[in-house]
Structure formats: structure tokens, C-alpha cells
Amino acid sequence: DVADHASPVAVSISKKLLWESWTLDPSESERREAVLSAWLFEQPDAREGVAAFLEKRSPNWPMRVSIDGPAWPS
């Protein structure tokens, strides 16, 4: 289901946050998640996901992990 219906950029952010969380304290992990989630909600993939759901169709993700990923918070 994730492979078919989740934005590849969103999945890559989730995976990176998961791996980083092993080395961060909980408050820093939460801060990074909030920053990256806010960034993602403003991107074309967020609009496409909602539109695809409402139109009952498969999403056509415009963003690519290799070129459209976020700047990581430090």
C-alpha cells in the first residue's frame, strides 16, 4: 500500500528520520520531524496526494527523491 500510494519523497523523509532518531534525543527528533513535515505539506506531492484521493485515482507524484528532497535541518 505504501509503495502504491505514498509519495517517494515522503517515504524517503520518513526513513531518514527513523534512522536519525537512534542518535537524537526525543525533542530533537520531534523538532526535525515538524520542520520536514511542514516543508513536505507545502510541496506538489502533498497536493497531488489529496487530489488523487478525492478523484479516486492513483497518484502521479511530480517530485523525485534524487532532485527534489529537502534541505535537512541541522
Side-chain angles (χ1 to χ4, degrees):
D1 192 47
V2 171
D4 290 337
H5 298 102
S7 157
V9 173
V11 171
S12 73
I13 287 171
S14 295
K15 288 171 70 174
K16 183 157 176 66
L17 284 169
L18 179 65
W19 282 106
E20 283 184 347
S21 70
W22 291 99
T23 61
L24 301 173
D25 64 72
S27 62
E28 179 60 20
S29 183
E30 184 179 352
R31 185 189 72 79
R32 287 180 184 221
E33 181 181 2
V35 168
L36 290 165
S37 293
W39 176 85
L40 188 58
F41 292 147
E42 296 175 358
Q43 302 308 307
D45 276 4
R47 291 184 290 281
E48 172 58 16
V50 172
F53 176 80
L54 292 174
E55 296 167 8
K56 297 181 178 17
R57 61 173 174 81
S58 294
N60 182 19
W61 305 115
M63 297 176 71
R64 299 290 171 253
V65 173
S66 60
I67 58 175
D68 297 318
W72 290 94
S74 53

